[in-house]
Structures are given as structure tokens and as C-alpha cells.
Amino acid sequence: MNVKDILNESKFTFKKKFGQNFLLDQNILNNIVKLGNITKDTLVIEIGVGAGALTKKLSEKAMVVLGYEIDSSLKEPLSKILSNNDNVDIIYDDFLNRNIKEDINKYQYKNIMVVANLPYYITTPIITKFINEQIDVEKIIVMVQKEVADRFSAIPGTKSYNSLTIFLNYYFDIRKAFLVSKNVFYPKPNVDSAVVIFSKKTHHMHLKNKDHFFKLVKDAFVQKRKTLKNNLKSYDIKKIDECLKKHNKNINFRAENITIEEFGDISNELSK
Ligand code: SAM
């Protein structure tokens, strides 16, 4: 029996609030799995198991797939769909309420790969959760709306570039892998998606005070249309100007035109 039939048989009803558009296209599922370099030493964390089509493919490559699914009415269909995949553990809970370290400490693994296909509003909190809980993740592969993908990999000077871009790019190399048409989902959503890969950075930019850096960046973007001079009034603006001059810029620039390295330089200068 195929996935659609199993969902129908168990009288599963799709819930919009959980972003339940399931990906059933075999080619795209295979392409997502390939992005991960998953081996039999890999613990794969899948957030939003859905109808388990991706889970099944991940489990063939991985040591274990630890899946999270908020909707417990998927328990019955998933037990059928994944009946032959005994290296899959599923926790029926909101991933954002979990303690990741506690959930993973029973596994012996060499590396962690995260895969998630989720509503856009939950994607950033999820990535931030891995950062805050200091989980050593090699790659995070996420599928998001096309526009959100652009924001993650935005470059200075573009509309999508903001403090979130800088925060995420400090920790990860981020690249868009491929676009996915809305036509390959069941049911069909309103927008196209893109797969984005977050790869752990091996070398972080040198920062004297990471908290200062992130606060500076956040403050610099508080009012996007205003200049640094206006947004950073509570900082030593003269020092900032001197530092920016080294990069042929000045405090009359907007934050959207300042690179992550330049912000790093300013923060280090102010933290002397
Ligand atoms: N991975 C599947 C696929 O590719 O077909 C399902 C994708 S579907 C877009 C998103 C899934 O995430 C849904 O099954 C939804 O119930 C689940 N979900 C949404 N929010 C969640 C959360 N906070 N924690 C765990 N699962 C969640």
C-alpha cells in the first residue's frame, strides 16, 4: 500500500496549522538524502516526520533516525509506513519543547545531521535551538519557502540581508541547493520551496566578545532605513566611524551595506 492509501485508511486529516504538505516525489527525496553525506555512523535528526517518506530513505543510510512529530494522529499511519525500518525512533512532541542533549545521549554516533521540512515560522527557532543548546551538528538541511531561503543566504546590499543573516552566517556556511516546485507536495501548498544547506563553519571569525558583536548587529538593524549613526547612538560612534574608514565606509552607511567581517572589526575595536 502506498503512503496516500495508508493516510486515507487511517482517516488522517491534514492540519494546516502544522504546515502539513508532504513530499512524496521519489527523485526529490533521493536528492535531499544525497546532500547529507550520511553514513552508518550518522545520527540523523528529522524534525517534522509527516508521512515518513523522507524518514524511510534517511534510515536506509543512517545509523539511527531520531524523528520528531508534533501531530500524534500520525502515529498509526507511521507505524505502518515505517514497519520495516527498525532504526527509526519517533518522539511525538513539539521539537521546540525538547531537551535535545537528553534525547540524543543514549546514541553512539560520530556525527549529527539534521533534516527538516517545516513551516517557515519555525525554521529559525529550530536552528537557533541547536546553536543555543550547543549541539555539534555537521549539517542542517532545511526545506523552506523560496523567499525564506533567500534571506538565509543573502549578501550585503540586498533587501533580504539582516541581523538574522549575520547571526546564522557566523555559525554556518549557507547555500541554496535546489528549488522544489509546489506541485510535488501532497496536498499542494501555495508557494514553491527551496532546499538550503547549513554546514558547520570550521573557522569562526575572531571575536573578542561574541555577545557584544550580536548586540551591535541587532542594534544596527533596528530601523533598517536609518544609518548606523542613527541606530548606534548609544555606542562610541567616533570609534565606529574610524573603523569603517579603514573599509572605505563611514557611519552614514546603512547596516545592510556592512559585511559580517566589518561588523566583527567594529565590535573588536569597541571591545578593546
Ligand atoms: N518531512 C515530511 C515530508 O517531507 O513530507 C513532512 C513535512 S510537513 C511540511 C511538516 C511536518 O512537521 C508535519 O508533519 C507537521 O505536523 C510537523 N511539525 C510542525 N511543527 C512541528 C514541531 N514544532 N515539532 C515537530 N513537528 C512539527
Side-chain angles (χ1 to χ4, degrees):
M1 217 190 301
N2 71 27
V3 169
K4 279 186 192 172
D5 292 338
I6 294 175
L7 290 175
N8 284 335
E9 194 196 60
S10 65
K11 302 202 166 36
F12 175 73
T13 50
F14 286 89
K15 291 158 205 80
K16 227 180 167 168
K17 65 172 174 181
F18 293 145
Q20 290 178 339
N21 305 95
F22 299 153
L23 181 59
L24 302 177
D25 183 291
Q26 296 300 311
N27 278 333
I28 293 172
L29 290 168
N30 285 332
N31 288 341
I32 295 175
V33 173
K34 271 190 218 150
L35 295 173
N37 313 328
I38 300 166
T39 71
K40 283 290 165 195
D41 291 316
T42 307
L43 167 65
V44 175
I45 299 179
E46 188 192 6
I47 305 153
V49 173
L54 186 57
T55 323
K56 217 176 167 66
K57 294 211 178 273
L58 292 166
S59 83
E60 286 160 14
K61 299 257 179 194
M63 181 191 74
V64 171
V65 180
L66 172 62
Y68 292 88
E69 176 51 62
I70 198 168
D71 184 357
S72 52
S73 74
L74 281 163
K75 209 169 186 165
E76 194 204 314
L78 278 173
S79 68
K80 291 185 186 144
I81 294 163
L82 299 171
S83 60
N84 294 324
N85 303 75
D86 51 13
N87 61 341
V88 177
D89 291 335
I90 300 178
I91 296 176
Y92 290 91
D93 198 358
D94 182 340
F95 175 73
L96 292 177
N97 293 338
R98 302 298 303 183
N99 179 322
I100 311 174
K101 275 209 175 108
E102 273 175 20
D103 288 346
I104 63 176
N105 78 16
K106 65 172 171 177
Y107 303 108
Q108 301 281 332
Y109 53 86
K110 274 213 179 119
N111 58 354
I112 299 180
M113 213 74 79
V114 176
V115 182
N117 169 12
L118 289 160
Y120 73 93
Y121 55 83
I122 199 187
T123 310
T124 303
I126 280 177
I127 296 168
T128 311
K129 188 172 167 70
F130 280 100
I131 294 173
N132 291 343
E133 294 188 22
Q134 298 178 348
I135 310 293
D136 187 13
V137 173
E138 196 138 319
K139 269 189 191 174
I140 303 179
I141 299 166
V142 289
M143 190 183 293
V144 287
Q145 276 173 253
K146 224 170 76 187
E147 294 69 29
V148 179
D150 291 336
R151 207 173 313 146
F152 289 144
S153 51
I155 54 166
T158 59
K159 221 172 74 197
S160 306
Y161 183 72
N162 61 17
S163 57
L164 172 67
T165 321
I166 295 183
F167 175 71
L168 295 175
N169 279 273
Y170 171 74
Y171 291 101
F172 298 103
D173 289 317
I174 304 172
R175 74 175 176 92
K176 210 158 52 170
F178 52 83
L179 297 178
V180 182
S181 158
K182 59 186 174 203
N183 296 318
V184 299
F185 292 92
Y186 174 69
K188 182 172 148 181
N190 296 325
V191 287
D192 292 325
S193 296
V195 176
V196 183
I197 310 176
F198 292 73
S199 308
K200 182 176 79 175
K201 271 204 166 126
T202 40
H203 291 291
H204 290 300
M205 174 174 56
H206 166 69
L207 290 176
K208 284 188 182 147
N209 182 337
K210 213 157 73 179
D211 293 339
H212 178 277
F213 170 77
F214 288 128
K215 182 168 184 325
L216 172 82
V217 171
K218 225 173 168 176
D219 290 340
F221 279 93
V222 153
Q223 297 197 58
K224 259 203 114 179
R225 306 305 304 157
K226 290 206 168 170
T227 62
L228 294 173
K229 191 170 148 188
N230 280 302
N231 281 337
L232 298 178
K233 276 193 175 127
S234 60
Y235 292 78
D236 185 339
I237 204 76
K238 203 166 153 250
K239 256 194 183 162
I240 296 178
D241 199 39
E242 278 164 18
C243 183
L244 282 168
K245 293 241 162 76
K246 285 189 279 173
H247 302 280
N248 297 322
K249 293 181 183 172
N250 60 59
I251 47 168
N252 294 314
F253 276 62
R254 292 195 189 113
E256 65 189 26
N257 294 109
I258 308 300
T259 65
I260 179 167
E261 290 78 15
E262 287 162 354
F263 273 118
D265 210 7
I266 297 172
S267 173
N268 288 342
E269 199 63 44
L270 296 178
S271 309
K272 260 182 185 167

